[in-house]
Amino acid sequence: METLSLSEKPTVAVTENITGAEAVVKSLIAEGTDTIFGYPGGAIMPVYDALFHYQSELKHVLTRHEQGATHAAQGFARATGKVGVAIATSGPGATNLITGIADAQIDSTPMVCITGQVASPLLGSDAFQETDIVGISMPVTKWNYQITCAEEIPWVMAKAFYIAKSGRPGPVLIDITKDAQFQSFDFEYRKCEKVRSYNPVPKADPLKIKDAAQLINAAKRPFVLFGQGIILSEAEKEFQDFIEKGGLPAAWTIMGLSALDTSHPLNVGMLGMHGNYGPNLLTNECDVLIAIGMRFDDRVTGDLTKYAKQAKVVHIEIDPAEIDKNVKTEVALLGDAKSVLQQLTPLIQDNTHDNWLQQFKDCDAKEKEVVIDNEIAPTSGEMTMGEVIARINKQTNGDAIIVTDVGQHQMMACRYAHFKKSKSNITSGGLGTMGFCLPAALGAKIGAPEREVVAVIGDGGFQMTIQELATIAQTEAAVKILILNNEFLGMVRQWQQLFFDKRYSHTHMVNPDFVAVTKGFGIDAVMVDKRENLDEAVKNFIQSETSCLLEVRVGKENNVFPMVPSGASVAEVRLS
């Protein structure tokens, strides 16, 4: 467990004598927090008692499971750009947070988790509901700390928020013993502005920026890959100015989706295992590869020994650990994407690269003929996930926040959903957490109540956090819940079909009556299993002023293509 030096602890003046529990609440309010997600229990009860007196300033959302609290906090953070906050008790309450914390860590989501802990004299005694949550969470947090004295609360909370949201964002966990919550002390709060030996935003080398500009200006086939770093640094305008000036085709990771309008002429589509044909194929034909705010995940690169070996790589990245980790760079620009692009774009020459862009268009035409037309506009046969997403696009006009779970429906939504605004695509990327969507959609709607929020979920993932329907009902959050039901764990089944000779081992789902279950929670629900009823059902679904569920029965053995098989080169992308 880390200890803080005296230089990191602000000098405080006496203001008021309060308990540690009240200090937690006041610290949250001082950080601008207006919403927290949580579940009470014995070891955190003093904090919940303090919350009772601050209900007008701090809204608490009672989820039905602590994992739901973390995913809701993630959805809130991703929709707003603020730090999400989750709170739980000790023992199982704390350990139930771990999946969401790990998800936030790998997807760079700013989150502060607060857990209660047994009284400090009982630490290490295997007391009732005691777990070493600091030790358990250490590998999946940006920082964590155990508070055993009330006087530590203000400066630890201040440091927690600073670390969570600065640089490459991530989750922080603060564990507070019960006696520290009861203790009284003289409280004053000061926000943290820096931490010794922690440099969250490195400054890019001006000489390297010039080197990058020279590479890009000399390129005949430049290609930009962009990730969530564009969104996290709020560099959407700077990014668009950059690619437009250089005439640079740009493709996104699923975490970068919505940073650039999906209809922009330089937006050439999605990277990765189920990404578009052109971006995958032409990665191995570009001469300069410019990666911005992305980490070359294995689902994007495929076989690294065959990935873009012909290209000179420029990598703009805030986290030094990601530089040269997977893909060797020619020029590494360490820094915040917004700042780097502001310095780089003036050095970029006006260009169009029309012939190179035409190669992407030719690939698009081939993919449209072989895959897309059959997916989004089939004329017969079973309904497809793609055609449902196309109906959603028609009703939302690209203005909705689309939250997805993990699986085939996720890839279909990412491939076919239209987005005009940033912070509109919320999904579990790096960890791939089934059960993420329903609580994350709730958090997104609470964070952005003025926006339409559509949760797109498979029948498998829906059942992992189905209890959060009760939270949606209690909060009256108007989340639109779309279940694409193929009665399979679809992505696993697809792999079993393609690579395991159709041995569908334990992937068939015998599902409940989703409509009846949802209505049991007090939420309206409809099921559609005929194409002729789909348009009207989707229209009513989106236009509803309250939360509702639409279940659509889709083909059981439909697959997601294109596909880069596991371990293959991106140039080996398959259309069927």
Side-chain angles (χ1 to χ4, degrees):
M1 183 176 69
E2 181 182 344
T3 58
L4 302 185
S5 68
L6 290 174
S7 64
E8 295 177 65
K9 304 175 186 179
T11 304
V12 299
V14 175
T15 55
E16 57 181 331
N17 190 269
I18 60 175
T19 66
E22 189 174 1
V24 171
V25 176
K26 282 183 169 288
S27 297
L28 290 170
I29 294 169
E31 287 291 343
T33 303
D34 56 18
T35 306
I36 61 176
F37 304 87
Y39 203 96
I44 198 67
M45 204 174 297
V47 170
Y48 270 86
D49 185 61
L51 280 170
F52 183 83
H53 303 287
Y54 291 88
Q55 295 180 60
S56 62
E57 299 169 76
L58 195 55
K59 178 180 180 179
H60 177 276
V61 177
L62 175 64
T63 58
R64 296 310 190 259
H65 192 283
E66 293 88 354
Q67 181 181 343
T70 54
H71 294 327
Q74 288 176 273
F76 180 91
R78 298 266 292 278
T80 64
K82 300 177 181 179
V83 177
V85 178
I87 184 168
T89 192
S90 63
T95 58
N96 281 344
L97 299 177
I98 292 298
T99 296
I101 292 172
D103 195 288
Q105 174 81 337
I106 200 166
D107 280 350
S108 304
T109 303
M111 183 165 66
V112 170
C113 292
I114 300 165
T115 55
Q117 184 55 275
V118 301
S120 52
L122 296 175
L123 290 172
S125 70
D126 292 331
F128 177 67
Q129 290 192 334
E130 181 194 3
T131 56
D132 178 11
I133 194 61
V134 170
I136 291 169
S137 65
M138 192 172 291
V140 292
T141 50
K142 194 174 177 185
W143 181 64
N144 65 12
Y145 190 89
Q146 185 177 80
I147 293 174
T148 58
C149 174
E151 290 181 350
E152 297 179 307
I153 289 171
W155 47 267
V156 172
M157 291 287 288
K159 183 176 180 182
F161 273 85
Y162 174 71
I163 290 175
K165 65 187 177 184
S166 60
R168 179 178 178 176
V172 171
L173 182 135
I174 304 301
D175 192 44
I176 311 175
T177 61
K178 196 168 185 178
D179 52 325
Q181 297 172 52
F182 278 123
Q183 291 169 4
S184 295
F185 73 109
D186 294 326
F187 172 86
E188 185 186 31
Y189 195 83
R190 293 184 183 179
K191 289 189 176 182
C192 180
E193 296 181 351
K194 71 175 187 175
V195 173
R196 189 180 62 184
S197 302
Y198 171 54
N199 180 27
V201 186
K203 303 295 183 184
D205 183 340
L207 294 178
K208 289 188 175 181
I209 290 176
K210 290 181 180 179
D211 290 342
Q214 289 176 357
L215 280 177
I216 295 166
N217 290 334
K220 302 299 182 184
R221 299 181 304 281
F223 186 23
V224 176
L225 317 180
F226 65 96
Q228 190 186 199
I230 299 294
I231 299 170
L232 294 173
S233 64
E234 299 183 337
E236 293 90 347
K237 182 182 184 302
E238 288 80 3
F239 176 70
Q240 185 168 323
D241 290 345
F242 169 69
I243 62 170
E244 287 177 349
K245 187 175 184 185
L248 307 171
W252 36 267
T253 69
I254 64 168
M255 297 300 293
L257 175 56
S258 85
L260 179 68
D261 190 325
T262 47
S263 66
H264 193 285
L266 290 171
N267 189 334
V268 296
M270 173 176 162
L271 296 162
M273 180 172 283
H274 292 290
N276 293 107
Y277 186 57
N280 278 309
L281 189 70
L282 297 177
T283 292
N284 280 10
E285 295 187 22
C286 68
D287 56 0
V288 174
L289 192 67
I290 307 114
I292 308 176
M294 56 87 72
R295 58 189 180 84
F296 289 110
D297 175 80
D298 62 291
R299 288 295 173 102
V300 165
T301 65
D303 183 356
L304 280 168
T305 66
K306 301 176 182 177
Y307 183 78
K309 292 301 179 183
Q310 79 295 336
K312 295 180 178 179
V313 177
V314 175
H315 194 179
I316 301 173
E317 172 60 45
I318 201 167
D319 185 355
E322 297 296 343
I323 298 295
D324 293 332
K325 184 174 81 173
N326 294 323
V327 174
K328 297 298 180 183
T329 59
E330 185 81 12
V331 180
L333 299 178
L334 265 177
D336 177 75
K338 188 182 187 81
S339 174
V340 173
L341 288 172
Q342 287 172 340
Q343 298 171 72
L344 178 61
T345 300
L347 304 180
I348 299 300
Q349 297 171 358
D350 291 330
N351 213 325
T352 57
H353 298 290
D354 290 336
N355 292 336
W356 173 233
L357 280 167
Q358 186 59 47
Q359 293 187 48
F360 286 92
K361 294 176 183 178
D362 292 343
C363 288
D364 287 345
K366 184 174 182 179
E367 182 180 346
K368 184 175 185 297
E369 178 184 357
V370 178
V371 178
I372 296 175
D373 286 346
N374 294 325
E375 188 60 52
I376 67 171
T379 56
S380 61
E382 297 173 302
M383 283 189 288
T384 67
M385 295 182 184
E387 69 177 307
V388 181
I389 300 301
R391 299 312 198 279
I392 296 292
N393 290 335
K394 183 178 179 181
Q395 293 298 323
T396 62
N397 197 32
D399 292 326
I401 294 174
I402 306 291
V403 188
T404 52
D405 213 75
V406 173
Q408 288 182 315
H409 69 278
Q410 176 191 34
M411 294 296 101
M412 289 294 190
C414 288
R415 282 177 53 79
Y416 297 122
H418 295 169
F419 296 106
K420 293 181 179 178
K421 302 176 182 178
S422 186
K423 297 185 179 71
S424 294
N425 172 63
I426 299 176
T427 194
S428 173
L431 197 64
T433 305
M434 290 179 67
F436 170 88
C437 179
L438 191 61
L442 165 68
K445 184 63 179 179
I446 289 173
E450 75 286 356
R451 298 194 64 187
E452 192 75 73
V453 175
V454 181
V456 182
I457 319 179
D459 47 306
F462 182 54
Q463 293 176 80
M464 287 195 168
T465 49
I466 195 170
Q467 71 278 355
E468 300 307 334
L469 287 173
T471 315
I472 290 172
Q474 184 169 346
T475 58
E476 299 182 345
V479 177
K480 309 300 172 58
I481 306 158
L482 174 64
I483 307 298
L484 297 176
N485 182 4
N486 59 9
E487 297 184 359
F488 270 102
L489 297 175
M491 189 61 80
V492 183
R493 185 215 55 75
Q494 177 169 336
W495 280 53
Q496 289 173 334
Q497 177 185 341
L498 298 176
F499 308 115
F500 293 89
D501 297 325
K502 295 188 177 181
R503 292 187 294 274
Y504 296 158
S505 179
H506 305 291
T507 47
H508 178 251
M509 304 284 286
V510 178
N511 291 319
D513 183 336
F514 290 131
V515 169
V517 169
T518 303
K519 287 184 175 180
F521 283 97
I523 297 172
D524 192 27
V526 172
M527 187 274 288
V528 172
D529 59 3
K530 292 182 174 60
R531 181 170 283 116
E532 57 265 30
N533 299 328
L534 184 59
D535 280 332
E536 186 69 17
V538 172
K539 180 180 178 181
N540 293 337
F541 171 69
I542 295 298
Q543 292 184 356
S544 173
E545 295 183 359
T546 61
S547 60
C548 57
L549 179 140
L550 174 62
E551 175 193 353
V552 182
R553 302 282 178 89
V554 296
K556 294 183 180 181
E557 295 187 89
N558 291 346
N559 291 329
V560 186
F561 286 103
M563 181 179 185
V564 178
S566 181
S569 162
V570 290
E572 298 175 89
V573 56
R574 294 170 48 175
L575 288 173
S576 61

